Amino acid sequence: MKKTMKVIGFKEHLPLTAANSLQEFEVPRPQVQEHDLLVEVAAVSVNPVDVGVRRTGHGVLQKPKVLGWDAVGIVKEIGSAVTLFKPGERVFYAGSFKRPGSNSEYQVVDERIVGHAPEKLTDAQAAAVPLTSLTAWEALFEQLEIAQGPAKERTKTILIINGAGGVGSIATQLADWAGLKVIASASRRETIRWVKQHGAQQTVNHRKNLVTEVRNLGYQYVDYILGLSDLDGHWAEIAALIKPSGRIAAITENKRPLDLKKLTKKRAKFAWEWMYTKSYYQTPDMLSQHVILEKMAALLDQGIIKSTVTQELSPFNVANLKRAHELVESNHMMGKVVICKQ
Ligand SMILES: NC(=O)c1ccc[n+]([C@@H]2O[C@H](COP(=O)([O-])OP(=O)(O)OC[C@H]3O[C@@H](n4cnc5c(N)ncnc54)[C@H](OP(=O)(O)O)[C@@H]3O)[C@@H](O)[C@H]2O)c1
């Protein structure tokens, strides 16, 4: 194996129109540490976090910043403490916020946040799901404390705001699998059709007033709300719609102070979900991301959960990575865009 590898990254935070907003570099191939796997990356997907990190910052970086938080690939080497994987196995993962990303020939990743890739899925189908699955799973089953498993929550209702995006497309499926009545927000004919295909029984339009939209469906309140877009814009609606003692989770940061007082009388609970928390802080339950990805792989192989890939690009080069960033940057994605090596 050669000592260097190709990556696509950047040294300056630039708009996509700038020629060097994303460019190819040759860098040293990383070495595995104790719990690391060295993975030869076969396909990646692009998430809003890639766009956010690319756009945010100043100055010229000393080393290229490599983005990419979704990958499928083959394990080539393992660290001395690895117990969960062997060389040659096909894996999928989102990765860590602190380490170089998957837009790379090879990547090192801690085994505790990696799963065996679903066997029946193509590389493109598998690369679409790790980050959004971890986020949706942790939000629903850890932060909202919904009972995990088929049809466990038959009498309860969840409102998912932004049902057709990457996270929403998995969250609607998982909430449906748990037996919840799922109301998902979608604003266009194609996204309404998409969320219904992915487990939403009813839809509301997030471009209209969500309180009116939900009440028009016959619900005064809902048991759970999962906020997957524009928390500032939707906060008053969320506070109005949550049932007394209900639970709310959000994955997008507020830009203005959040008025938690709106929840006092209802004694509703609010929780954040950040998919990177466990690896960022090396929490004792970091291994739970391996467990979630293994469960997701089984659900995907059984056809209970479907991959959310809607667009496949190849080969993996600067032009295609820019195209994928452009699609995600539009903030109108339905499902996921994936780039395969070849
Ligand atoms: N905390 C975490 O761990 C975590 C993890 C993943 C993602 N995120 C964040 O969560 C957000 C969603 O991620 P994603 O991957 O699902 O994004 P995405 O796929 O890019 O979401 C695109 C969708 O957002 C919808 N949308 C746009 N504006 C909206 C609004 N005001 N209200 C409701 N929906 C709206 C669009 O619908 P229309 O086209 O119909 O308007 C579109 O279908 C992003 O901000 C991302 O950075 C956080």
Side-chain angles (χ1 to χ4, degrees), residues 221 225 234-242 248 259 262-263 266:
Y221 303 123
I225 299 180
H234 294 302
W235 183 247
E237 297 162 333
I238 289 171
L241 287 170
I242 194 67
I248 302 158
D259 185 4
K262 285 190 188 294
L263 306 182
K266 286 188 175 166

Side-chain angles (χ1 to χ4, degrees), residues 179-227:
L180 291 163
K181 275 186 224 137
V182 182
I183 305 171
S185 88
S187 75
R188 291 170 280 141
R189 191 174 297 176
E190 59 171 339
T191 50
I192 291 169
R193 197 181 324 118
W194 173 262
V195 296
K196 285 191 170 163
Q197 282 166 357
H198 288 82
Q201 276 100 328
Q202 288 167 302
T203 63
V204 288
N205 185 341
H206 50 244
R207 302 284 168 199
K208 297 187 178 164
N209 183 293
L210 285 178
V211 179
T212 316
E213 290 278 293
V214 171
R215 300 255 157 96
N216 282 346
L217 295 177
Y219 298 90
Q220 179 71 6
Y221 303 123
V222 291
D223 301 275
Y224 303 104
I225 299 180
L226 180 53

Side-chain angles (χ1 to χ4, degrees), residues 40-320:
E40 184 174 8
V41 177
V44 300
S45 93
V46 172
N47 290 281
V49 63
D50 296 74
V51 170
V53 175
R54 198 201 79 240
R55 287 199 300 209
T56 314
H58 302 285
V60 180
L61 306 172
Q62 301 239 305
K63 286 195 297 186
K65 174 77 182 165
V66 180
L67 305 169
W69 285 283
D70 260 333
V72 60
I74 303 293
V75 177
K76 290 292 170 185
E77 286 176 11
I78 58 173
S80 58
V82 168
T83 59
L84 303 168
F85 298 94
K86 293 193 290 288
E89 288 183 325
R90 185 167 167 261
V91 293
F92 72 152
Y93 54 88
S96 154
F97 198 65
K98 287 185 168 170
R99 302 181 88 176
S102 53
N103 294 337
S104 189
E105 260 184 287
Y106 297 93
Q107 183 183 12
V108 284
V109 59
D110 190 304
E111 61 167 343
R112 291 167 290 186
I113 57 172
V114 175
H116 289 91
E119 287 171 14
K120 293 188 182 155
L121 270 61
T122 62
D123 285 341
Q125 289 168 331
V129 291
L131 185 146
T132 52
S133 296
L134 289 167
T135 309
W137 189 289
E138 290 181 350
L140 293 170
F141 303 128
E142 297 179 3
Q143 301 305 74
L144 289 175
E145 299 176 64
I146 289 164
Q148 213 187 95
K152 285 274 165 64
E153 298 261 7
R154 283 191 187 285
T155 58
K156 304 230 172 112
T157 304
I158 186 168
L159 168 64
I160 299 178
I161 300 173
N162 180 8
V167 180
S169 305
I170 293 284
T172 50
Q173 296 187 69
L174 286 174
D176 180 47
W177 173 64
L180 291 163
K181 275 186 224 137
V182 182
I183 305 171
S185 88
S187 75
R188 291 170 280 141
R189 191 174 297 176
E190 59 171 339
T191 50
I192 291 169
R193 197 181 324 118
W194 173 262
V195 296
K196 285 191 170 163
Q197 282 166 357
H198 288 82
Q201 276 100 328
Q202 288 167 302
T203 63
V204 288
N205 185 341
H206 50 244
R207 302 284 168 199
K208 297 187 178 164
N209 183 293
L210 285 178
V211 179
T212 316
E213 290 278 293
V214 171
R215 300 255 157 96
N216 282 346
L217 295 177
Y219 298 90
Q220 179 71 6
Y221 303 123
V222 291
D223 301 275
Y224 303 104
I225 299 180
L226 180 53
L228 306 178
S229 185
D230 186 15
L231 188 58
D232 296 298
H234 294 302
W235 183 247
E237 297 162 333
I238 289 171
L241 287 170
I242 194 67
K243 195 176 250 184
S245 299
R247 298 196 193 121
I248 302 158
I251 70 166
T252 59
E253 264 181 317
N254 52 308
K255 296 188 179 65
R256 301 193 297 269
L258 213 55
D259 185 4
L260 277 178
K261 225 162 73 177
K262 285 190 188 294
L263 306 182
T264 320
K265 288 200 176 62
K266 286 188 175 166
R267 68 192 287 270
K269 288 184 185 160
F270 174 76
W272 288 114
E273 163 58 23
W274 196 45
M275 191 282 307
Y276 298 109
T277 301
K278 294 172 186 171
S279 53
Y280 194 89
Y281 294 101
Q282 301 275 301
T283 60
D285 65 346
M286 187 170 149
L287 184 69
S288 65
Q289 292 209 327
H290 164 70
V291 176
I292 294 169
L293 288 171
E294 294 284 324
K295 287 183 183 173
M296 279 300 301
L299 291 170
L300 286 156
D301 273 336
Q302 289 161 33
I304 293 168
I305 303 292
K306 291 186 186 66
S307 171
T308 52
V309 60
T310 47
Q311 303 194 55
E312 288 184 36
L313 307 172
S314 78
F316 183 73
N317 59 22
V318 169
N320 279 331

